[in-house]
Each structure stands twice: as structure tokens, then as C-alpha cells.
Amino acid sequence: MKAALGFCLIFLTLHSPGVLSLSTHVAIVYPQDPVLRMGSNLTASCWVHPELGVHANSLFWTLNGHQLPSSLYRVLSPTNLSVTLAGLNASRQTSGDNLVCHNHKGHILAGSCLYVGMPPEKPVNLTCWSRNTKDLTCSWAPGGKGETNISTLYKLKYKLRWYGTEKECEDYSHTQPYSCSITQDLHLFTPYEIWVEASNRLGRATSDVIILDILDVVTTDPPSGVTVSRLGQLEDQLSVRWEAPPALKDFLFKAKYQIRYRLEESQDWKVMNDVGNQTSCRLAGLRPGTVYFVQVRCNPVGIYGSRKAGIWSEWSHPTAASTPHSERLMSCDSKSSGDSNSTLRRELKQFLGWVKKHAYGCSSMSMKLYDQWRVDMQKSPKTRNQVGSPRG
């Protein structure tokens, strides 16, 4: 249905808080777009010029294409039909709700677009980070339930704490909602004040202000050149090596690294938190003849003397390697092989339990002790049987 140009005119007036009136008068269409809070009431009047010969009883109203029940109507005069909507719900579509007056043939006489929603609440969870000190990206979340149901504008504002002028971030993300990156005129060693302003046609709100130095929120790229290889024929160990993130090679900092690894058929990662700042590590206590996936990430701690904890990078791409098959498992005597493997697992469990109490993660001392223990056990079957035997 198309509006008949030169037929109706819409006037919108505010009678009382939350109650609006809409009326048609002469031969022009003039829409008004009221914005109302959820729960408010709206009264719209469709007034037709007497010379048109249209009686109010023949008119009807639709909301978003659905005819409204006549119980909501009121004939104010032979040429004026009103409709009252009480306790308005939120707009069902972002473009607003269409309230339209029709004649008895269904032709549109007049209409208006209603926007029903809520004013924004204070944005929350404002967090910022800098990738390699080259930018400053901040993200946040809408306050309250998050949805105002009408168009709401969010602006990330910032300034240097002591002498800067207020500026607005310009590079808003098209893929990540509620996110913006500051990429120009960045200052190191100087605190920033950062906040978010939210506004729509029903009100505005401002987040708490956070204060930060870019050097305190630096993250970096994942470590590069990650390799995983066997350690000779040690069937329960793998060697992991990597390179420090190249983007920070000219910065004074002390990196921390984490490693995580998992079985090929599993999605459960085991994380090693105590790798320190070295760029190699030995994984022990692994299953013989098994494929493992390994990842590494970096935390650039203490850039130029910053005392903050730093922010972890993303994990590197998974790198796969397999441990050698155990010679015992390849024995033709399956019963003997199974008994030997069970004994070996008990031995490993006892030793690794001791290591856990006396050493940490990739400590070279613990690995040397482990290697020596393995050699001694292979030389002395008697000792191995004693260690592997269950306690009474």
C-alpha cells in the first residue's frame, strides 16, 4: 500500500509525560518520529478533513502491518479516530515501529515511525591494551542489560592526564562491537585518562574513567619459529624451541613464556606456567608413540621498567610432533610387554612426583636428574624392581 500524496497531514504533540498525540489534517503527508521510553503510553489521532467525506468509523490502525483491535479505538468525532497504546514494549525492529492509519479500503492515510526503548546505562568493563606499543585499543560493554532497543551511539574519549586536550577515538572496529583503536600521536611514559560516553534520543551516560600508561598494557605477537622435536630415543620426552617476538627486539624487557600441549585425539590442554624467560623447554612424562600438539605464548614483562604484570599474547599456531615408540611395547610377548610398561609407568609416577616437590617446570637440574635416573634404572634391574614394587 502506498501513501496517497496530497491527502493527509500528521501533527505530533506532547499532552503529558509519556503520552503523545498524532493527528491528520489536510492533503500532505508529514511524518513525525516520536521516541518513547518503554512502558509509556501513546495516543494517536487520525483526523480527516470533512470535505473528504470519510467517516471515522470506517478507519482502522495497524502497527508493523498488523491491524490493531477496535477495542483500542475511540471515535472522537465523525472525522477523528484515535488509538491508545498502553505500556509500550521495546521496538521490534531497529528501524522503528510503523503506526499507520488506513481508510476502509486499506489505503494509507497517515503514519508515523515509533522508537521505543531506554536511555543508555553507564558503560562497563572498559579495558585497553597496546600491541607492541604501536597502538592503544580499548573495548567495553554496554551497561545494564545492554540493549536499549533504539539507536545508541558510543564514543571512546581520551586525553593525556595532566595537560592533554580531550579527543575522540576515530578507528572504531567493524568486526568487534564496542571497540576502538587509537593509532596516532601516542605518548609513552605519560598516563592517559580514558572513558566511554553513550547517548541516544532518550539520554546519555558516561563510564568510569580509567588511568593507564601504554607501557603497562603492552601485549605482543606470539613467539615465532616454534619447533618440537624428539630427544633421541627417549620415548616420553620432546624438546620445544622458539624465538622471541621480533617486534620487541629493540625494547628493554624480560619476557615470560607459557607452553601448553595436548594429545592429538584430545582437546584438553595441559599448561606449563613456569617456563620463565628461556626460549627452550623439555616436556617429560609423555606417552610413547603419541602425537602431541604444542603452543607457546609470550608476556612482555617490565618494558622500560614497567612494574605491571603485562598481558599475554595469543598462542602460537599449533606445532605437532610424536614421541618414539617404546621398545618394550614393540616386544612380541604382549604379556611381558604389558607388565614392563606398567612397571615403567609406576617408576615414572614416583620420580615425577619427587621432581614436582623439588624442582619446577623446565628446570635443567630436574631433567638431568631424570636422565641419570633412567640410565641407572636400565643398568640395575634389581633396583628397578625394588622401586617399582608396590608398597605393603
Side-chain angles (χ1 to χ4, degrees), residues 123 126 138 140 152-158 166-170 172 178-180 182 194-200 204-208:
L126 177 58
C138 299
W140 62 91
T152 300
L153 179 65
Y154 292 88
K155 295 182 179 181
L156 180 71
K157 301 287 190 72
Y158 65 97
E166 180 181 308
K167 297 181 180 180
E168 180 185 348
C169 180
E170 298 179 354
Y172 290 92
Y178 314 118
S179 176
C180 190
I182 304 169
I194 304 174
W195 66 97
V196 176
E197 294 179 356
S199 62
N200 62 26
R204 61 180 61 247
T206 302
S207 73
D208 293 332

Side-chain angles (χ1 to χ4, degrees), residues 7 98 117 146 157 166 178 201 217 221 227 234 286 326 348 371 379 382 392:
F7 191 63
N98 296 309
K157 301 287 190 72
E166 180 181 308
Y178 314 118
R201 295 165 72 177
V217 292
D221 303 310
T227 61
L234 291 176
L286 307 178
S326 171
L348 288 176
D371 294 343
K379 290 181 178 180
K382 179 179 179 181

Side-chain angles (χ1 to χ4, degrees), residues 141-202:
K145 296 182 179 180
E147 181 57 66
T148 61
N149 297 103
I150 59 176
S151 178
T152 300
L153 179 65
Y154 292 88
K155 295 182 179 181
L156 180 71
K157 301 287 190 72
Y158 65 97
K159 73 181 188 70
L160 295 176
R161 185 177 186 186
W162 293 301
Y163 54 85
T165 58
E166 180 181 308
K167 297 181 180 180
E168 180 185 348
C169 180
E170 298 179 354
D171 189 11
Y172 290 92
S173 173
H174 297 291
T175 57
Q176 296 292 331
Y178 314 118
S179 176
C180 190
S181 296
I182 304 169
T183 58
Q184 297 179 346
D185 300 326
L186 293 176
H187 295 261
L188 304 181
F189 307 103
T190 303
Y192 278 86
E193 293 183 1
I194 304 174
W195 66 97
V196 176
E197 294 179 356
S199 62
N200 62 26
R201 295 165 72 177
L202 290 175

Side-chain angles (χ1 to χ4, degrees), residues 131 219-228 240-246 256-262 269 279 283 292-299 312-320:
R131 183 173 292 277
T219 186
T220 186
D221 303 310
S224 59
V226 179
T227 61
V228 184
V240 185
R241 296 182 179 276
W242 61 90
E243 299 175 4
K256 290 196 306 183
Y257 296 98
Q258 280 185 343
I259 295 176
R260 71 177 186 178
Y261 59 95
R262 65 174 175 85
W269 294 91
T279 56
L283 304 180
Y292 284 87
F293 287 96
V294 180
Q295 292 179 295
V296 186
R297 67 176 180 176
C298 174
N299 186 330
W312 288 103
S313 72
E314 298 293 328
W315 290 100
S316 63
H317 291 296
T319 303

Side-chain angles (χ1 to χ4, degrees), residues 58-78:
S58 66
L59 305 179
F60 67 92
W61 291 90
T62 62
L63 181 64
N64 294 328
H66 299 284
Q67 185 170 340
L68 295 172
S70 59
S71 59
L72 302 179
Y73 303 165
R74 182 183 178 190
V75 178
L76 302 178
S77 73

